[in-house]
Amino acid sequence: MSVQTAYSIEHDDLYPGQIVDLQLANTITKLNKSGSNIPHGYGVIRDGDNAAKIAGAAFTAGEILGIVVRELDHAFSDGELFGAKDGHSFSILTVGPICVIAVNAVNDGDDVFMAQDGTIQNVNTGGAVQIPNARFTTTAGAGAKAKISLVVGG
């Protein structure tokens, strides 16, 4: 077995699903019973009384719960999708600032839309639904990390 001799202490400034600062933030806990892991920073909708899932099909703004919060409380196998593990509880941000990956280029102040696959964008395309009371709070390019602020009923 080899010994690690090189170490890196450089970390990204933001990670998808990270609560970005110390503003007021509210989270709720739901169960992932979707059959697969849900990536951090993705939007989710209700799945019965105690669960949440990625929409996958047409949905309404009233079904939106919020954004999956980055948590480091589960072990993952090599190659396993890092996110809310299937069969486990996870946190969803309903109020506050959080980091997401913007599907397309966004500007500070743009409205926030959630696509059927849970990704976040600033346009209403492909069945995306506007998240009420949510705005991008940074400017970012397509595929880049962006901050949003939201207030969802949860």
Side-chain angles (χ1 to χ4, degrees), residues 11-35:
H11 302 281
D12 286 346
D13 58 341
L14 290 172
Y15 294 93
Q18 175 184 342
I19 297 174
V20 300
D21 59 32
L22 296 176
Q23 291 182 55
L24 175 66
N26 184 69
T27 60
I28 58 173
T29 302
K30 295 290 182 181
L31 179 66
N32 177 5
K33 56 182 185 179
S34 67

PDB file of all heavy atoms in Angstrom, residues 11-35:
ATOM      1  N   HIS A  11      -9.921  24.308  -1.654  1.00  0.00           N
ATOM      2  CA  HIS A  11     -11.296  23.858  -1.783  1.00  0.00           C
ATOM      3  C   HIS A  11     -12.067  24.873  -2.606  1.00  0.00           C
ATOM      4  O   HIS A  11     -11.725  26.054  -2.652  1.00  0.00           O
ATOM      5  CB  HIS A  11     -11.946  23.717  -0.401  1.00  0.00           C
ATOM      6  CG  HIS A  11     -11.234  22.773   0.497  1.00  0.00           C
ATOM      7  ND1 HIS A  11     -11.366  21.419   0.393  1.00  0.00           N
ATOM      8  CD2 HIS A  11     -10.381  22.981   1.522  1.00  0.00           C
ATOM      9  CE1 HIS A  11     -10.627  20.823   1.306  1.00  0.00           C
ATOM     10  NE2 HIS A  11     -10.008  21.758   2.005  1.00  0.00           N
ATOM     11  N   ASP A  12     -13.130  24.401  -3.244  1.00  0.00           N
ATOM     12  CA  ASP A  12     -14.000  25.324  -3.973  1.00  0.00           C
ATOM     13  C   ASP A  12     -14.641  26.308  -2.998  1.00  0.00           C
ATOM     14  O   ASP A  12     -14.833  25.994  -1.827  1.00  0.00           O
ATOM     15  CB  ASP A  12     -15.092  24.555  -4.706  1.00  0.00           C
ATOM     16  CG  ASP A  12     -14.579  23.820  -5.931  1.00  0.00           C
ATOM     17  OD1 ASP A  12     -13.451  24.109  -6.360  1.00  0.00           O
ATOM     18  OD2 ASP A  12     -15.315  22.963  -6.445  1.00  0.00           O
ATOM     19  N   ASP A  13     -14.982  27.472  -3.506  1.00  0.00           N
ATOM     20  CA  ASP A  13     -15.643  28.458  -2.658  1.00  0.00           C
ATOM     21  C   ASP A  13     -17.101  28.101  -2.407  1.00  0.00           C
ATOM     22  O   ASP A  13     -17.677  28.483  -1.394  1.00  0.00           O
ATOM     23  CB  ASP A  13     -15.522  29.864  -3.249  1.00  0.00           C
ATOM     24  CG  ASP A  13     -16.105  29.963  -4.651  1.00  0.00           C
ATOM     25  OD1 ASP A  13     -16.285  28.927  -5.313  1.00  0.00           O
ATOM     26  OD2 ASP A  13     -16.370  31.095  -5.091  1.00  0.00           O
ATOM     27  N   LEU A  14     -17.710  27.369  -3.321  1.00  0.00           N
ATOM     28  CA  LEU A  14     -19.107  26.952  -3.200  1.00  0.00           C
ATOM     29  C   LEU A  14     -19.271  25.541  -3.731  1.00  0.00           C
ATOM     30  O   LEU A  14     -18.535  25.118  -4.621  1.00  0.00           O
ATOM     31  CB  LEU A  14     -20.026  27.867  -4.013  1.00  0.00           C
ATOM     32  CG  LEU A  14     -20.226  29.282  -3.537  1.00  0.00           C
ATOM     33  CD1 LEU A  14     -21.004  30.083  -4.582  1.00  0.00           C
ATOM     34  CD2 LEU A  14     -20.965  29.316  -2.213  1.00  0.00           C
ATOM     35  N   TYR A  15     -20.260  24.846  -3.204  1.00  0.00           N
ATOM     36  CA  TYR A  15     -20.627  23.518  -3.682  1.00  0.00           C
ATOM     37  C   TYR A  15     -22.138  23.496  -3.895  1.00  0.00           C
ATOM     38  O   TYR A  15     -22.883  24.120  -3.123  1.00  0.00           O
ATOM     39  CB  TYR A  15     -20.250  22.443  -2.656  1.00  0.00           C
ATOM     40  CG  TYR A  15     -18.775  22.304  -2.445  1.00  0.00           C
ATOM     41  CD1 TYR A  15     -18.131  22.998  -1.427  1.00  0.00           C
ATOM     42  CD2 TYR A  15     -18.015  21.478  -3.269  1.00  0.00           C
ATOM     43  CE1 TYR A  15     -16.762  22.875  -1.235  1.00  0.00           C
ATOM     44  CE2 TYR A  15     -16.650  21.347  -3.072  1.00  0.00           C
ATOM     45  CZ  TYR A  15     -16.030  22.041  -2.064  1.00  0.00           C
ATOM     46  OH  TYR A  15     -14.686  21.923  -1.875  1.00  0.00           O
ATOM     47  N   PRO A  16     -22.628  22.780  -4.916  1.00  0.00           N
ATOM     48  CA  PRO A  16     -24.075  22.700  -5.104  1.00  0.00           C
ATOM     49  C   PRO A  16     -24.767  22.198  -3.833  1.00  0.00           C
ATOM     50  O   PRO A  16     -24.324  21.239  -3.214  1.00  0.00           O
ATOM     51  CB  PRO A  16     -24.234  21.693  -6.247  1.00  0.00           C
ATOM     52  CG  PRO A  16     -22.932  21.777  -6.991  1.00  0.00           C
ATOM     53  CD  PRO A  16     -21.894  22.041  -5.940  1.00  0.00           C
ATOM     54  N   GLY A  17     -25.831  22.892  -3.444  1.00  0.00           N
ATOM     55  CA  GLY A  17     -26.575  22.526  -2.250  1.00  0.00           C
ATOM     56  C   GLY A  17     -26.056  23.154  -0.975  1.00  0.00           C
ATOM     57  O   GLY A  17     -26.649  22.988   0.091  1.00  0.00           O
ATOM     58  N   GLN A  18     -24.966  23.889  -1.073  1.00  0.00           N
ATOM     59  CA  GLN A  18     -24.397  24.546   0.113  1.00  0.00           C
ATOM     60  C   GLN A  18     -25.220  25.779   0.464  1.00  0.00           C
ATOM     61  O   GLN A  18     -25.516  26.605  -0.397  1.00  0.00           O
ATOM     62  CB  GLN A  18     -22.965  24.957  -0.176  1.00  0.00           C
ATOM     63  CG  GLN A  18     -22.300  25.754   0.926  1.00  0.00           C
ATOM     64  CD  GLN A  18     -20.905  26.227   0.533  1.00  0.00           C
ATOM     65  OE1 GLN A  18     -20.299  25.717  -0.392  1.00  0.00           O
ATOM     66  NE2 GLN A  18     -20.414  27.221   1.238  1.00  0.00           N
ATOM     67  N   ILE A  19     -25.596  25.898   1.738  1.00  0.00           N
ATOM     68  CA  ILE A  19     -26.210  27.140   2.211  1.00  0.00           C
ATOM     69  C   ILE A  19     -25.078  28.159   2.235  1.00  0.00           C
ATOM     70  O   ILE A  19     -24.058  27.941   2.874  1.00  0.00           O
ATOM     71  CB  ILE A  19     -26.867  26.942   3.583  1.00  0.00           C
ATOM     72  CG1 ILE A  19     -28.015  25.924   3.456  1.00  0.00           C
ATOM     73  CG2 ILE A  19     -27.367  28.271   4.135  1.00  0.00           C
ATOM     74  CD1 ILE A  19     -28.654  25.528   4.752  1.00  0.00           C
ATOM     75  N   VAL A  20     -25.230  29.267   1.515  1.00  0.00           N
ATOM     76  CA  VAL A  20     -24.081  30.094   1.163  1.00  0.00           C
ATOM     77  C   VAL A  20     -23.640  31.121   2.189  1.00  0.00           C
ATOM     78  O   VAL A  20     -22.528  31.629   2.106  1.00  0.00           O
ATOM     79  CB  VAL A  20     -24.278  30.782  -0.202  1.00  0.00           C
ATOM     80  CG1 VAL A  20     -24.451  29.758  -1.293  1.00  0.00           C
ATOM     81  CG2 VAL A  20     -25.461  31.727  -0.184  1.00  0.00           C
ATOM     82  N   ASP A  21     -24.489  31.464   3.138  1.00  0.00           N
ATOM     83  CA  ASP A  21     -24.064  32.433   4.147  1.00  0.00           C
ATOM     84  C   ASP A  21     -24.921  32.286   5.398  1.00  0.00           C
ATOM     85  O   ASP A  21     -25.651  31.302   5.540  1.00  0.00           O
ATOM     86  CB  ASP A  21     -24.080  33.863   3.589  1.00  0.00           C
ATOM     87  CG  ASP A  21     -25.442  34.313   3.090  1.00  0.00           C
ATOM     88  OD1 ASP A  21     -26.468  33.879   3.649  1.00  0.00           O
ATOM     89  OD2 ASP A  21     -25.492  35.113   2.147  1.00  0.00           O
ATOM     90  N   LEU A  22     -24.846  33.249   6.287  1.00  0.00           N
ATOM     91  CA  LEU A  22     -25.518  33.137   7.575  1.00  0.00           C
ATOM     92  C   LEU A  22     -26.852  33.877   7.642  1.00  0.00           C
ATOM     93  O   LEU A  22     -27.343  34.170   8.728  1.00  0.00           O
ATOM     94  CB  LEU A  22     -24.583  33.631   8.688  1.00  0.00           C
ATOM     95  CG  LEU A  22     -23.325  32.797   8.863  1.00  0.00           C
ATOM     96  CD1 LEU A  22     -22.411  33.417   9.913  1.00  0.00           C
ATOM     97  CD2 LEU A  22     -23.665  31.370   9.229  1.00  0.00           C
ATOM     98  N   GLN A  23     -27.446  34.157   6.480  1.00  0.00           N
ATOM     99  CA  GLN A  23     -28.791  34.719   6.483  1.00  0.00           C
ATOM    100  C   GLN A  23     -29.756  33.691   7.075  1.00  0.00           C
ATOM    101  O   GLN A  23     -29.442  32.502   7.173  1.00  0.00           O
ATOM    102  CB  GLN A  23     -29.240  35.012   5.054  1.00  0.00           C
ATOM    103  CG  GLN A  23     -28.502  36.139   4.379  1.00  0.00           C
ATOM    104  CD  GLN A  23     -29.064  36.371   2.999  1.00  0.00           C
ATOM    105  OE1 GLN A  23     -30.253  36.590   2.835  1.00  0.00           O
ATOM    106  NE2 GLN A  23     -28.200  36.320   1.998  1.00  0.00           N
ATOM    107  N   LEU A  24     -30.938  34.142   7.398  1.00  0.00           N
ATOM    108  CA  LEU A  24     -31.976  33.234   7.861  1.00  0.00           C
ATOM    109  C   LEU A  24     -32.176  32.122   6.842  1.00  0.00           C
ATOM    110  O   LEU A  24     -32.294  32.376   5.639  1.00  0.00           O
ATOM    111  CB  LEU A  24     -33.293  34.000   8.049  1.00  0.00           C
ATOM    112  CG  LEU A  24     -34.507  33.149   8.431  1.00  0.00           C
ATOM    113  CD1 LEU A  24     -34.310  32.544   9.819  1.00  0.00           C
ATOM    114  CD2 LEU A  24     -35.773  33.974   8.364  1.00  0.00           C
ATOM    115  N   ALA A  25     -32.177  30.878   7.309  1.00  0.00           N
ATOM    116  CA  ALA A  25     -32.400  29.735   6.430  1.00  0.00           C
ATOM    117  C   ALA A  25     -33.290  28.738   7.155  1.00  0.00           C
ATOM    118  O   ALA A  25     -33.140  28.516   8.352  1.00  0.00           O
ATOM    119  CB  ALA A  25     -31.077  29.088   6.037  1.00  0.00           C
ATOM    120  N   ASN A  26     -34.209  28.155   6.437  1.00  0.00           N
ATOM    121  CA  ASN A  26     -35.093  27.143   7.008  1.00  0.00           C
ATOM    122  C   ASN A  26     -34.995  25.876   6.172  1.00  0.00           C
ATOM    123  O   ASN A  26     -35.029  25.939   4.944  1.00  0.00           O
ATOM    124  CB  ASN A  26     -36.543  27.634   7.013  1.00  0.00           C
ATOM    125  CG  ASN A  26     -37.458  26.652   7.692  1.00  0.00           C
ATOM    126  OD1 ASN A  26     -37.386  26.463   8.896  1.00  0.00           O
ATOM    127  ND2 ASN A  26     -38.311  25.998   6.919  1.00  0.00           N
ATOM    128  N   THR A  27     -34.874  24.746   6.848  1.00  0.00           N
ATOM    129  CA  THR A  27     -34.860  23.467   6.148  1.00  0.00           C
ATOM    130  C   THR A  27     -35.948  22.563   6.706  1.00  0.00           C
ATOM    131  O   THR A  27     -36.359  22.699   7.859  1.00  0.00           O
ATOM    132  CB  THR A  27     -33.503  22.746   6.279  1.00  0.00           C
ATOM    133  OG1 THR A  27     -33.237  22.494   7.654  1.00  0.00           O
ATOM    134  CG2 THR A  27     -32.384  23.557   5.660  1.00  0.00           C
ATOM    135  N   ILE A  28     -36.407  21.657   5.873  1.00  0.00           N
ATOM    136  CA  ILE A  28     -37.318  20.598   6.283  1.00  0.00           C
ATOM    137  C   ILE A  28     -36.651  19.271   5.946  1.00  0.00           C
ATOM    138  O   ILE A  28     -35.717  19.227   5.144  1.00  0.00           O
ATOM    139  CB  ILE A  28     -38.690  20.717   5.589  1.00  0.00           C
ATOM    140  CG1 ILE A  28     -38.534  20.675   4.061  1.00  0.00           C
ATOM    141  CG2 ILE A  28     -39.408  21.978   6.041  1.00  0.00           C
ATOM    142  CD1 ILE A  28     -39.863  20.626   3.310  1.00  0.00           C
ATOM    143  N   THR A  29     -37.112  18.205   6.558  1.00  0.00           N
ATOM    144  CA  THR A  29     -36.553  16.887   6.302  1.00  0.00           C
ATOM    145  C   THR A  29     -37.612  16.007   5.663  1.00  0.00           C
ATOM    146  O   THR A  29     -38.749  15.950   6.134  1.00  0.00           O
ATOM    147  CB  THR A  29     -36.075  16.242   7.619  1.00  0.00           C
ATOM    148  OG1 THR A  29     -35.108  17.100   8.216  1.00  0.00           O
ATOM    149  CG2 THR A  29     -35.437  14.892   7.362  1.00  0.00           C
ATOM    150  N   LYS A  30     -37.226  15.333   4.599  1.00  0.00           N
ATOM    151  CA  LYS A  30     -38.115  14.402   3.900  1.00  0.00           C
ATOM    152  C   LYS A  30     -37.341  13.130   3.597  1.00  0.00           C
ATOM    153  O   LYS A  30     -36.106  13.078   3.691  1.00  0.00           O
ATOM    154  CB  LYS A  30     -38.648  15.015   2.596  1.00  0.00           C
ATOM    155  CG  LYS A  30     -39.536  16.221   2.779  1.00  0.00           C
ATOM    156  CD  LYS A  30     -40.867  15.860   3.388  1.00  0.00           C
ATOM    157  CE  LYS A  30     -41.763  17.083   3.517  1.00  0.00           C
ATOM    158  NZ  LYS A  30     -43.045  16.769   4.122  1.00  0.00           N
ATOM    159  N   LEU A  31     -38.052  12.103   3.184  1.00  0.00           N
ATOM    160  CA  LEU A  31     -37.472  10.816   2.833  1.00  0.00           C
ATOM    161  C   LEU A  31     -37.324  10.710   1.325  1.00  0.00           C
ATOM    162  O   LEU A  31     -38.227  11.104   0.583  1.00  0.00           O
ATOM    163  CB  LEU A  31     -38.376   9.693   3.356  1.00  0.00           C
ATOM    164  CG  LEU A  31     -37.952   8.267   3.069  1.00  0.00           C
ATOM    165  CD1 LEU A  31     -36.644   7.940   3.801  1.00  0.00           C
ATOM    166  CD2 LEU A  31     -39.048   7.298   3.496  1.00  0.00           C
ATOM    167  N   ASN A  32     -36.193  10.177   0.878  1.00  0.00           N
ATOM    168  CA  ASN A  32     -35.997   9.903  -0.542  1.00  0.00           C
ATOM    169  C   ASN A  32     -36.375   8.446  -0.779  1.00  0.00           C
ATOM    170  O   ASN A  32     -35.637   7.546  -0.410  1.00  0.00           O
ATOM    171  CB  ASN A  32     -34.542  10.149  -0.948  1.00  0.00           C
ATOM    172  CG  ASN A  32     -34.293   9.810  -2.408  1.00  0.00           C
ATOM    173  OD1 ASN A  32     -35.208   9.473  -3.147  1.00  0.00           O
ATOM    174  ND2 ASN A  32     -33.039   9.897  -2.818  1.00  0.00           N
ATOM    175  N   LYS A  33     -37.515   8.230  -1.399  1.00  0.00           N
ATOM    176  CA  LYS A  33     -37.930   6.873  -1.743  1.00  0.00           C
ATOM    177  C   LYS A  33     -38.121   6.749  -3.246  1.00  0.00           C
ATOM    178  O   LYS A  33     -38.921   5.966  -3.728  1.00  0.00           O
ATOM    179  CB  LYS A  33     -39.185   6.478  -0.969  1.00  0.00           C
ATOM    180  CG  LYS A  33     -40.372   7.390  -1.134  1.00  0.00           C
ATOM    181  CD  LYS A  33     -41.535   6.928  -0.270  1.00  0.00           C
ATOM    182  CE  LYS A  33     -42.764   7.787  -0.528  1.00  0.00           C
ATOM    183  NZ  LYS A  33     -43.913   7.369   0.249  1.00  0.00           N
ATOM    184  N   SER A  34     -37.308   7.526  -3.988  1.00  0.00           N
ATOM    185  CA  SER A  34     -37.441   7.593  -5.447  1.00  0.00           C
ATOM    186  C   SER A  34     -36.769   6.443  -6.175  1.00  0.00           C
ATOM    187  O   SER A  34     -37.012   6.230  -7.350  1.00  0.00           O
ATOM    188  CB  SER A  34     -36.850   8.916  -5.953  1.00  0.00           C
ATOM    189  OG  SER A  34     -35.442   8.927  -5.743  1.00  0.00           O
ATOM    190  N   GLY A  35     -35.889   5.709  -5.489  1.00  0.00           N
ATOM    191  CA  GLY A  35     -35.171   4.622  -6.154  1.00  0.00           C
ATOM    192  C   GLY A  35     -33.774   5.004  -6.607  1.00  0.00           C
ATOM    193  O   GLY A  35     -33.026   4.157  -7.084  1.00  0.00           O
TER     194      GLY A  35
END
